[in-house]
Amino acid sequence: MTSAFQRVITRSYVDVDTKDGIHTDQFLEATDGLINMFDLFGSSAFSVVQNDMRNNVKKIRTYFVLDTNANDTLENLMANEAHLKKRQATEAVVWLKRGLDFTAQSLMDSLNNPKDELSVSFIKAYDATLRPFHSFIVRPIFNLAMSACPWRKDFYENIGIQDEASTQLMREWLEALLNIIDLLNREFERHPAYLRH
């Protein structure tokens, strides 16, 4: 039987081609699945995170479809937009990467620390990833979301991650996502202007 996790993750980050750059369309499809996974949390508190990610995916997809061949990788997409004064897709990549990093670090920490409740992992990841970029106005919204995390046991039951095989599947998905985040970080190091918006 297919788990809820496998139903919402229609393309794993494991299956996103990164050989010649991060394949834009595959990455966006994988990210759509991650965004939909928040529905399995059973809490509307994460709607802020979901909506932010959805808006960033929409901006990237809007620029991608202008020329799918030229924008075949995220790296090419950002390079093609670099000459523009307003680089909405690049800014969306930056913010989406931050949100994905937060999510990946939260869930990986949760897998690595099975005695901790989900809120502990999410708070740690928020402090390490998003907090430095959020104003004092936004931070309370995220703190509310962290405190509204479902119980660990309920969350993993809801998504169907309850045995060694399914845990390994999720771990591989997260490792592939963290690898993509690392590739994006390196791209931003090579092109610091991409971070200016």
Side-chain angles (χ1 to χ4, degrees):
M1 188 167 133
T2 307
S3 70
F5 175 78
Q6 291 169 301
R7 283 192 300 277
V8 297
I9 306 298
T10 56
R11 176 181 292 275
S12 173
Y13 287 108
V14 171
D15 301 320
V16 173
D17 183 4
T18 58
K19 186 172 45 102
D20 297 317
I22 302 160
H23 191 283
T24 305
D25 199 35
Q26 293 175 3
F27 169 79
L28 292 173
E29 182 184 347
T31 301
D32 286 337
L34 180 142
I35 293 167
N36 292 333
M37 187 186 70
F38 279 103
D39 291 333
L40 301 174
F41 276 48
S43 170
S44 61
F46 281 92
S47 62
V48 174
V49 177
Q50 269 185 307
N51 290 335
D52 186 55
M53 287 184 174
R54 264 195 196 105
N55 287 334
N56 287 320
V57 165
K58 183 179 177 184
K59 289 175 187 175
I60 296 164
R61 195 169 268 132
T62 297
Y63 193 79
F64 167 66
V65 298
L66 294 176
D67 189 340
T68 56
N69 290 328
N71 299 321
D72 60 335
T73 67
L74 290 178
E75 293 86 348
N76 287 341
L77 180 143
M78 291 187 290
N80 292 334
E81 196 183 47
H83 71 283
L84 301 174
K85 185 173 183 171
K86 194 158 175 76
R87 300 182 306 269
Q88 289 185 330
T90 301
E91 182 179 350
V93 172
V94 170
W95 279 103
L96 182 59
K97 181 210 60 101
R98 290 172 180 163
L100 292 172
D101 194 18
F102 159 69
T103 306
Q105 285 194 37
S106 299
L107 294 173
M108 188 61 87
D109 185 78
S110 178
L111 288 180
N112 291 337
N113 297 287
K115 292 186 191 306
D116 288 350
E117 280 301 330
L118 230 48
S119 59
V120 172
S121 297
F122 274 82
I123 289 167
K124 276 196 265 185
Y126 177 73
D127 288 344
T129 59
L130 291 176
R131 187 175 181 29
F133 303 104
H134 284 168
S135 69
F136 70 95
I137 295 169
V138 175
R139 287 177 187 159
I141 296 167
F142 274 82
N143 287 334
L144 176 65
M146 302 311 110
S147 64
C149 279
W151 295 107
R152 174 192 188 84
K153 178 183 173 294
D154 295 341
F155 171 69
Y156 284 108
E157 278 179 16
N158 286 346
I159 66 171
I161 305 295
Q162 296 181 294
D163 59 27
E164 201 172 306
S166 59
T167 301
Q168 185 58 31
L169 181 73
M170 185 175 199
R171 185 177 299 282
E172 290 168 2
W173 173 73
L174 289 168
E175 287 169 350
L177 174 54
L178 289 167
N179 178 60
I180 289 169
I181 291 165
D182 185 53
L183 292 172
L184 286 170
N185 284 336
R186 283 190 254 155
E187 187 70 7
F188 295 136
E189 285 171 13
R190 280 191 294 276
H191 302 282
Y194 290 176
L195 296 171
R196 289 185 222 114
H197 37 302

